[in-house]
Amino acid sequence: MIIIIGSNEEYHAKYIFEKLQQENTPAKYFDSRKYPIFSWSPDGVGDYIILENEKIYLKDISGIYWRWYYGVTFSTSEIVYREKVSALESMLCALEPVSWNSLQAVELHRKKGLQSKIMQNNGIRIPKTTVTDDKDMLEKFYLENDKNVIFKPVRGGAYTKKLTEQDLERKESLKNCPCQLQECIEGLDIRVYAFETGEIYAGEIHAQSLDFRADTNAKINKHQLPESVQKDCLKILKILNLKYSGIDIRLKENGEYVFIEANPAPMFVYFENMTGYEITNTLIRNLKNNH
């Protein structure tokens, strides 16, 4: 049994579900907005979850595809909400061995500054980065990086943008919400899909926007990564507790590869269609062969 964290409202979740159906592989959606009935214990004996009126024993789950976790919907009271979150997420954490990826990995990605620190502490080249709600630090970082700075959410959910003089004029508003600042790395966008089983699929993205996700007409070609960069991609999986990831890199004109971030639940269908890489087959094979 494969569990898909998400719903048929999300394209990639539905895509994987339909692929599994075509292979006659049992699969169920787990939409956390529909709080499930479940039971689990430290010894793991008889643990189960009920999804779509079917009792599924946790021991029978070979893989969990983590695409879109909606969280727990607040309903009655703060106390009840906290208890529901703790109970459900404890079970999800216990399922880490079969999860692609785990709740812990997803939570780390929502803390982008910490993810960057872990990579840098392990010898991965990243852009100069700071997370701040201090207007003075904003200006200082901007000037120290020759006014060539981008900003993006710490948690995610919005496009990367270039910091401008007009933004500096509104710096007082920073006290209401911190943001992540990075030196702007000029160069070619590289997206890598790396699996802990050793598969690495790299493509160069030719887009007309700073954040390639904003360009729906972006062109993608296969890219051959140097062996040292491939090793760094696999190293990132290990240090960030990832089984696979969509890793964003910038290739500078001087040939240096700079790592931007590692996404634990990346979109990949468009990339796969453009390059011909077998990302879907690799993911499904791993989901089915966890044990």
Side-chain angles (χ1 to χ4, degrees):
M1 174 67 71
I2 306 295
I3 302 300
I4 298 171
I5 296 184
S7 72
N8 62 6
E9 299 168 25
E10 199 286 315
Y11 179 81
H12 282 71
K14 183 178 181 181
Y15 175 80
I16 292 295
F17 181 81
E18 291 176 347
K19 288 291 184 181
L20 291 168
Q21 283 190 316
Q22 292 170 13
E23 297 182 4
N24 295 315
T25 299
K28 292 285 185 184
Y29 289 113
F30 170 47
D31 182 344
S32 61
R33 295 171 297 184
K34 305 171 185 176
Y35 198 83
I37 296 173
F38 63 92
S39 179
W40 77 277
S41 57
D43 60 22
V45 177
D47 295 352
Y48 63 85
I49 185 171
I50 297 176
L51 298 175
E52 300 172 28
N53 298 317
E54 180 180 347
K55 179 182 281 188
I56 300 164
Y57 289 97
L58 301 192
K59 65 179 178 61
D60 295 329
I61 298 174
S62 65
I64 296 176
Y65 170 50
W66 197 290
R67 174 52 200 156
W68 199 266
Y69 180 52
Y70 296 98
V72 176
T73 302
F74 185 86
S75 54
T76 54
S77 72
E78 182 67 28
I79 293 175
V80 171
Y81 170 74
R82 291 202 309 264
E83 291 299 292
K84 291 174 76 172
V85 170
S86 182
L88 180 63
E89 294 190 352
S90 293
M91 182 184 67
L92 291 175
C93 287
L95 287 168
E96 179 179 348
V98 295
S99 295
W100 289 69
N101 278 294
S102 67
L103 176 61
Q104 294 94 319
V106 172
E107 287 295 332
L108 181 58
H109 184 248
R110 292 172 176 171
K111 302 171 178 64
K112 294 182 185 294
L114 177 58
Q115 186 190 82
S116 296
K117 181 177 178 62
I118 292 171
M119 289 197 288
Q120 181 170 282
N121 287 351
N122 283 273
I124 303 297
R125 166 71 164 99
I126 66 167
K128 296 175 184 176
T129 301
T130 191
V131 177
T132 186
D133 61 358
D134 186 334
K135 66 182 188 305
D136 294 331
M137 176 54 70
L138 171 69
E139 187 166 10
K140 180 174 182 289
F141 190 86
Y142 181 65
L143 295 175
E144 287 179 345
N145 288 280
D146 300 320
K147 301 182 179 181
N148 194 20
V149 171
I150 58 95
F151 67 96
K152 57 187 177 182
V154 182
R155 184 182 176 95
Y159 292 138
T160 297
K161 295 182 179 181
K162 195 79 173 283
L163 190 66
T164 66
E165 296 286 348
Q166 289 72 30
D167 294 319
L168 284 182
E169 293 174 5
R170 299 191 299 270
K171 63 185 179 180
E172 287 291 341
S173 65
L174 191 65
K175 63 186 178 183
N176 299 318
C177 183
C179 71
Q180 179 170 231
L181 308 170
Q182 287 185 325
E183 63 171 317
C184 183
I185 303 296
E186 306 290 351
L188 180 64
D189 282 308
I190 306 292
R191 165 54 73 94
V192 181
Y193 291 88
F195 292 78
E196 68 172 9
T197 44
E199 298 89 350
I200 294 179
Y201 307 110
E204 53 189 54
I205 304 174
H206 300 271
Q208 299 301 313
S209 56
L210 175 66
D211 190 321
F212 65 80
R213 296 172 299 172
D215 185 354
T216 56
N217 296 312
K219 304 299 181 184
I220 307 173
N221 302 318
K222 290 184 177 180
H223 181 85
Q224 183 59 48
L225 288 175
E227 185 176 348
S228 61
V229 179
Q230 293 186 42
K231 289 181 178 178
D232 279 343
C233 289
L234 295 176
K235 182 179 182 179
I236 285 171
L237 297 185
K238 185 175 182 180
I239 62 178
L240 297 180
N241 193 29
L242 294 162
K243 293 187 177 182
Y244 87 110
S245 178
I247 302 173
D248 292 326
I249 304 173
R250 274 285 174 93
L251 173 57
K252 297 174 66 175
E253 288 188 0
N254 65 4
E256 181 184 19
Y257 289 80
V258 181
F259 288 81
I260 308 300
E261 64 178 72
N263 192 323
M267 296 184 288
F268 59 85
V269 175
Y270 181 77
F271 184 98
E272 181 176 66
N273 290 339
M274 292 288 287
T275 61
Y277 286 132
E278 294 192 351
I279 300 170
T280 301
N281 290 340
T282 303
L283 178 59
I284 288 178
R285 183 173 65 250
N286 281 304
L287 286 168
K288 293 167 68 174
N289 297 329
N290 260 326
H291 291 321

